[in-house]
Each structure stands twice: as C-alpha cells, then as structure tokens.
Amino acid sequence: MGEGKVIAEAALAPTVRLLSDIRLVLLLLMAAVCRFDWAVFLTVACAVPCSFILLFRWGRTTRRVVAGVYFVAWDGIAALVLLIIGFQHAGTSAALALGYLQVSALLMGMVAGDRALAAWCALVVVGVFELIQYAPDLSAMMIVAAGAALVLALLGRRQTQQVGRVEVMAADAAEARSRQSAAEERLVLARDLHDTVAKSAAGVRMLAEALSADLRRQESEYARDASNLFDAADALSAEARSVLDELRSAPAGDLRGQLREDAETWASRVGTDVSVDVSGEEMVADAELKWQVQRVLGELLANVEKHAKATVVSVRIEGEDTLQLTVEDNGVGLPRRILEDQSNLRGSGHYGLCGVRERLAAIGGRLTLTATPDGGTRAMAQIPRAISSNEKSSLTTARMTV
C-alpha cells in the first residue's frame, strides 16, 4: 500500500495544489465579503496554513504531517467554523462557506489516510447535525451539504486509488519493456560474440590441435608446449560457448532450475562428477539478477575446473527470500592465508573469486570461503534479492489493490 500511495502523491501533486489554490481564493473572498469581521479573520488565519502546507509541501514532506488525524481535524474544524460564520452572515458568505467545505472534502479524500479521512467525515457529520439544532430551518440544506461533502471525500479517495493503480501498472509495463530490451541486447551481444570471439577461439583451437598432432608425429621437443597451447585454446573455446549459452538463456522461469541446468552442463563438459541439490520454493528474478547469479555460479565452477583438481563437486541451491548458492569440492583447497584473510583476493592473485565477490556486492550479496573437512573448498554465495513465486504473486496483487 505504501508504494502505491507514494506513486499517487507524485501524480496527484498538481491537482492537490490546484485545489489548495481554490481554497485560498475562497478564504480571501469570504474575508472580503464579511468585511474582515474579527471572527472571520481569526478563522481564516487558522485555515490558511492548511492550504499553504498542501500548496508548498505536498510531495516533499512526510505523510505524517498532512495525512494524520491532527492535520485533518484541524482542517475539518476550520471548515465547520467557516460554515457557521457563513450561515450567520447568509447570502454570499454561506455560498462561499459551502464551497470551501466541498473543496476541502475532495482534497481530504485525496490526501488523508483511511483513519484520518474517517475522522474528518465523522467530524463533519457531527458538526452539521449540531448546527441543525441551532438552525432547524436550514436542516435540509445542512444535510445536503454534509451528504455532498461525504460523497466528494469518497470520490477523492477513489481517485487516489485509481491513480495509484494506473501508475503501478505503468511502472510494471515500463519494467517489462526494460526486461524485453535487456533480453534483445543480450541476443545481439550473443550474435556478435559468436561472429567474432567464439569463431576466433574455435579457429585457434583447431590450429593448436593440428600443430600439436603434427609436432607429436615429428617427436619434436616443442610437442608438449603445443599440447599446452591446445589445452588453453580448448578451454577458451569452451568458455566462449558457455557465455553464449548463458546470454541466449531466457530470463523467465525458475532461477533454481536454470542454475541446475548450468551446473549439469558444466559437469558434462568437463567430465567431473557433480551432484546438484535444489531445495526451497520456486524463485523468479529479473534478467539482470538472473544473469549475475549465473555468472557467479559459472565463475565458481570455472575456478574449480582450473585450480582445484577436484574429482567430486557438490552444488547446493537453497533458500526462499535469500538465495544461498554453495559450491563444494574435494580438491587441493585454498591456502590458509587466503581463508584467514579474504579481504584481498585481488592482491593474492585470485581474480576470479574477486570478480565473484564484486558481482555479489553489486546485487547486495556476499561470498564466504571456507575449507571442507577433506581439504577442499566450500564457496557459499548469498543473494538476498531472489523473490519466491508465491511472494511475487502476493506482492503484485497487493500493489494492484492499493
């Protein structure tokens, strides 16, 4: 409800200021018509600050000031006193007082909270019925005025709700367009990478393979170097294909399922025994978050492939509001000095893990590195911005019913 109310405030600000201007004009006209009677002057002096607060501070002050019971009660009492004075002077003064009451009703419906608006309406009803006791001949007019004020207050409240709903829908549409644009950009980037880097990496791999085979046949002393060159080119080509696969992956769907698929694809490529354990509720995420989490998992697995010399790898994906991604291996492990002081991964030459930490920091997550009992490494990434499907559904429903 808070989000829709903030959005409605920004959209309704011009209307609120216009109604505040109208109330100020009505106040000045009433003071002039009543020839600045001391009671009128005192009431106007009390009513003017209400309009000035809305005129100059609406949208920039906290809602506790303009939507609380005290502000609304102050405004309602001022409207009732003006109504009393207006009927005492009769004629034009009564018409101006009635106009002020109706404009105030519409304005309070737009700016006040539910409880404050209920208090304002109750105050107007009680005040009007008290006035009828002193002026029975005006009872019909008073009842009509009170009824019109209540209707206008409800219309103002309804307008605020409708504007908030429309603005939320517009924000959702803009977000959808942004996601579609991001997906299209990723496809363009994937095509460009395929036509340049991926093809070049595949070409280098083929040349390195041919060179290695030729030097082995000649029993050349450089055959080992050529074999190392082929291994590096093969890894480069595989990484290029992995990045292309991730760029082309659809951003929609369960984030856990995509991570499972990425882990299984990596396992089949490198030939390492990988167990993937997924628990918790279904999780959905926008394209940017999904891409970052996929890259985190890809870098952690690449680090295992390049440095750990592991034969068994375990990947755990769990959590609800917070996604917890754990990659554990039985490899050689990280040096003790790195585990004891993880603040300078870049300085220690672990640029991959440093990149993972930077990615996680950008999305509000964090990385923890520990040693396993068998001497391997456990890397645990926690990402707090994953949203479960049930929660997202309820959040959307709540936003649409503001």
Side-chain angles (χ1 to χ4, degrees):
M1 180 174 178
E3 180 183 0
K5 193 65 179 178
V6 171
I7 293 174
E9 285 181 5
L12 291 174
T15 305
V16 170
R17 295 190 178 104
L18 176 61
L19 293 175
S20 299
D21 285 335
I22 294 175
R23 291 209 314 175
L24 285 172
V25 171
L26 290 173
L27 287 173
L28 294 177
L29 288 176
M30 189 168 180
V33 169
C34 295
R35 302 183 182 278
F36 294 97
D37 179 89
W38 69 270
V40 177
F41 181 80
L42 181 61
T43 306
V44 169
C46 292
V48 163
C50 297
S51 296
F52 270 110
I53 290 175
L54 293 172
L55 182 62
F56 295 109
R57 299 301 298 169
W58 175 252
R60 287 173 288 183
T61 186
T62 59
R63 298 202 70 257
R64 289 191 297 271
V65 175
V66 297
V69 175
Y70 295 113
F71 176 86
V72 173
W74 176 21
D75 190 272
I77 291 173
L80 285 175
V81 173
L82 283 173
L83 190 64
I84 295 172
I85 295 175
F87 278 100
Q88 285 178 346
H89 288 77
T92 305
S93 300
L96 291 174
L98 282 172
Y100 183 88
L101 177 65
Q102 308 310 321
V103 174
S104 296
L106 181 60
L107 193 56
M108 289 301 105
M110 294 173 63
V111 304
D114 292 336
R115 294 181 179 178
L117 182 60
W120 189 91
C121 292
L123 181 64
V124 169
V125 171
V126 172
V128 167
F129 276 99
E130 287 296 324
L131 289 176
I132 292 176
Q133 304 297 323
Y134 296 98
D137 54 325
L138 298 176
S139 59
M141 183 179 298
M142 290 288 189
I143 292 174
V144 171
L150 295 179
V151 171
L152 286 173
L154 294 177
L155 287 177
R157 182 62 179 160
R158 181 65 175 173
Q159 182 181 4
T160 300
Q161 293 174 341
Q162 292 291 345
V163 170
R165 184 177 301 148
V166 170
E167 292 296 323
V168 168
M169 293 175 64
D172 289 342
E175 182 180 357
R177 288 193 297 269
S178 176
R179 291 181 181 179
Q180 181 180 3
S181 177
E184 292 173 353
E185 290 177 1
R186 289 175 61 180
L187 289 177
V188 171
L189 180 59
R191 288 194 294 268
D192 291 342
L193 287 176
H194 177 268
D195 294 338
T196 55
V197 176
K199 285 186 175 180
S200 298
V204 171
R205 180 187 180 281
M206 293 176 60
L207 292 174
E209 184 179 17
L211 176 62
S212 177
D214 187 49
L215 291 179
R216 283 200 304 270
R217 283 195 301 270
Q218 298 177 13
E219 297 183 354
S220 171
E221 60 178 321
Y222 300 108
R224 183 176 181 84
D225 293 334
S227 178
N228 292 334
L229 177 62
F230 168 72
D231 292 339
D234 183 61
L236 174 62
S237 179
E239 289 179 358
R241 289 196 303 271
S242 175
V243 171
L244 287 176
D245 289 341
E246 291 175 359
L247 281 173
R248 290 183 178 276
S249 63
D254 187 4
L255 176 59
R256 303 174 310 157
Q258 185 62 58
L259 294 176
R260 174 196 285 275
E261 183 179 339
D262 291 347
E264 292 174 348
T265 300
W266 177 85
S268 62
R269 179 175 62 82
V270 301
T272 302
D273 184 15
V274 176
S275 64
V276 183
D277 180 25
V278 177
S279 61
E281 296 183 356
E282 179 183 356
M283 296 181 180
V284 293
D286 58 31
E288 175 63 22
L289 177 59
K290 187 172 184 180
W291 166 251
Q292 295 292 354
V293 175
Q294 285 184 265
R295 295 309 302 147
V296 166
L297 176 60
E299 185 57 45
L300 291 177
L301 292 176
N303 194 67
V304 172
E305 179 184 356
K306 294 176 182 178
H307 308 296
K309 300 179 182 179
T311 57
V312 177
V313 178
S314 171
V315 177
R316 292 195 302 276
I317 306 163
E318 54 191 343
E320 295 180 1
D321 296 340
T322 298
L323 174 65
Q324 185 168 295
L325 175 63
T326 305
V327 177
E328 185 175 326
D329 64 74
N330 64 343
V332 297
L334 288 170
R336 181 179 296 273
R337 60 183 178 84
I338 300 299
L339 296 176
E340 292 177 351
D341 182 13
Q342 302 177 21
S343 60
N344 190 22
L345 293 173
R346 186 184 300 276
S348 60
H350 292 79
Y351 296 103
L353 293 176
C354 180
V356 169
R357 174 157 290 174
E358 290 172 351
R359 284 183 185 274
L360 290 172
I363 58 178
R366 61 190 180 93
L367 175 68
T368 304
L369 301 172
T370 57
T372 62
D374 56 2
T377 302
R378 179 185 298 111
M380 184 174 66
Q382 292 180 310
I383 303 98
R385 296 186 183 177
I387 303 176
S388 67
S389 58
N390 294 338
E391 181 182 351
K392 186 167 185 178
S393 176
S394 62
L395 176 61
T396 302
T397 302
R399 292 171 68 190
M400 292 300 295
T401 56
V402 171

